[in-house]
Amino acid sequence: MIDIRIQSADFDAGAQIERLAELRLAGLAAFVARLEAREDVDEIWIDHHAVLARAELARIVEEAGAKWRLGGLVLIHRHGRIAPGGQALFAGATGSSAGAAQQACAWIVDQVRGRGPFWRKDVLGDGAIRWWGPPPDAR
Amino acid sequence: MAALEILYYGRFRDAIGRDREEVDLPSHVLTVDDLIAWLRGRGDPHSSALREAEAVRAAVAGEWAERSDSVFGAVEVALFPPVGVF
């Protein structure tokens, strides 16, 4: 089972783990990334390039499938408005080898972090905007 | 002159003040690098938004593009800063 989603809605990490657990394989690893933010942040927006994001997440999953023998893989990336502390990413992998599931899950998260065409904007309480990552003039 | 749709993502969207625009590309603009240089040459807000040219990433027709890749004949080019949300 491979399920890749890019959605604005929140997800139930427990339910996703349950879906993977139904495959009854020896190893299951799951990871959730939350959007940690300073206290002055009111809301967070995730911008994304939809076409490129779909293609890139599919490529990452395909590459993981070539590296490790997996029975199931779920990858969910959210976009749009997310409350500070909200969930942004779910990655779950299951396989007959616990090590493979663990390594694949960690690898996928790393790849999505570095290659996924998503950008984060923090909107502060006073309306100011702060884009995630080093500003161009800080380099 | 050929019509090209340019899409902006991330901080470029705010810096340029729009998420897309259609431009008539002069014939000497052949690569992603040429396109960035040409846009910067048009003045603000593009020149400020894209001033750190090495920090500009691109996708042509929905696929990652290198700076030396061609935009000739492309219908859509996306420009954005380095990716990442957490």
Side-chain angles (χ1 to χ4, degrees), chain B residues 30-49:
Chain B
L30 298 174
T31 66
V32 171
D33 248 342
D34 293 343
L35 174 65
I36 294 166
W38 179 71
L39 285 168
R40 291 175 69 192
R42 294 168 75 205
D44 279 336
H46 298 75
S47 104
S48 306

Side-chain angles (χ1 to χ4, degrees), chain A residues 42-131:
Chain A
D42 253 16
E43 57 184 40
I44 299 166
W45 289 84
I46 303 296
D47 186 17
H48 77 304
H49 185 315
V51 175
L52 190 57
R54 268 200 304 275
E56 196 62 13
L57 296 195
R59 272 192 289 264
I60 289 169
V61 165
E62 192 184 325
E63 288 170 32
K67 281 172 173 290
W68 294 281
R69 205 180 162 81
L70 300 169
L73 215 153
V74 175
L75 180 59
I76 304 172
H77 203 307
R78 290 181 65 199
H79 67 87
R81 186 179 161 186
I82 298 180
Q87 307 183 118
L89 173 75
F90 176 90
T94 187
S96 298
S97 153
Q102 196 176 18
Q103 287 165 30
C105 184
W107 185 84
I108 287 166
V109 171
D110 255 8
Q111 296 297 310
V112 171
R113 183 181 277 151
R115 291 162 56 182
F118 297 87
W119 300 271
R120 167 177 171 173
K121 175 165 83 169
D122 289 1
V123 182
L124 310 192
D126 62 3
I129 280 164
R130 196 164 55 208
W131 284 94

Side-chain angles (χ1 to χ4, degrees), chain B residues 5-85:
Chain B
E5 179 139 66
I6 306 179
L7 311 178
Y8 300 107
Y9 291 93
R11 67 171 81 245
F12 294 171
R13 207 171 255 209
D14 284 346
I16 290 169
R18 56 175 91 179
D19 59 6
R20 60 181 60 217
E21 66 179 315
E22 196 173 297
V23 297
D24 281 320
L25 217 54
S27 55
H28 69 270
V29 176
L30 298 174
T31 66
V32 171
D33 248 342
D34 293 343
L35 174 65
I36 294 166
W38 179 71
L39 285 168
R40 291 175 69 192
R42 294 168 75 205
D44 279 336
H46 298 75
S47 104
S48 306
L50 307 174
R51 69 183 175 278
E52 293 287 327
E54 68 274 15
V56 181
R57 309 281 186 271
V60 176
E63 283 297 330
W64 296 108
E66 299 293 331
R67 302 294 292 269
S68 56
D69 282 356
S70 174
V71 297
F72 181 76
V75 173
E76 180 196 288
V77 175
L79 298 178
F80 42 82
V83 303
V85 300

Side-chain angles (χ1 to χ4, degrees), chain A residues 12-30:
Chain A
D12 179 342
Q16 298 302 330
I17 290 171
E18 203 49 51
R19 286 174 71 205
L20 290 163
E22 280 169 11
L23 297 171
R24 297 173 181 276
L25 298 173
L28 193 167

